[in-house]
Amino acid sequence: VRATRPNSPPASTSLSGAELRNAQKEHAAASRKIEKLNGQIAGVHERMAEHDQSDYTGLGALAAELAGYQEQLDTVELRWLELEDLLS
């Protein structure tokens, strides 16, 4: 995006050196967390597929675990997008 607008003025919310580095570090950490959560979600899906489909209690527990991971993922993805906008 920067290459298409080389003469555009810097954003009014430009970050200082330390703020920029912290945002970059947080962005990288959020990316790793998203990757980890996606792996955990895939693992729960596999366990659900292998689980006894007539065991509603067990499936309910797995569904609750899945919902928890999904909620965490939604939160981290939102922060990742905020940082992506801030850093672009």
Side-chain angles (χ1 to χ4, degrees), residues 51-73:
H51 195 82
D52 179 7
Q53 299 299 305
S54 64
D55 177 13
Y56 300 116
T57 304
L59 288 172
L62 289 170
E65 183 180 350
L66 181 62
Y69 287 140
Q70 189 62 53
E71 185 177 330
Q72 289 177 47
L73 180 61

Side-chain angles (χ1 to χ4, degrees), residues 3-85:
T4 60
R5 295 182 292 158
N7 296 327
S8 64
S12 62
T13 59
S14 63
L15 301 173
S16 72
E19 291 170 331
L20 176 63
R21 180 65 187 133
N22 286 336
Q24 289 170 336
K25 286 170 60 177
E26 187 179 353
H27 183 267
S31 295
R32 290 189 303 273
K33 182 72 173 177
I34 289 169
E35 211 172 297
K36 180 181 177 183
L37 286 166
N38 279 326
Q40 290 171 317
I41 288 170
V44 173
H45 279 284
E46 287 177 23
R47 290 180 12 229
M48 288 178 93
E50 295 169 358
H51 195 82
D52 179 7
Q53 299 299 305
S54 64
D55 177 13
Y56 300 116
T57 304
L59 288 172
L62 289 170
E65 183 180 350
L66 181 62
Y69 287 140
Q70 189 62 53
E71 185 177 330
Q72 289 177 47
L73 180 61
D74 292 345
T75 301
V76 175
E77 282 180 333
L78 179 61
R79 182 60 183 151
W80 183 89
L81 286 170
E82 291 170 349
L83 290 165
E84 187 73 14
D85 284 344

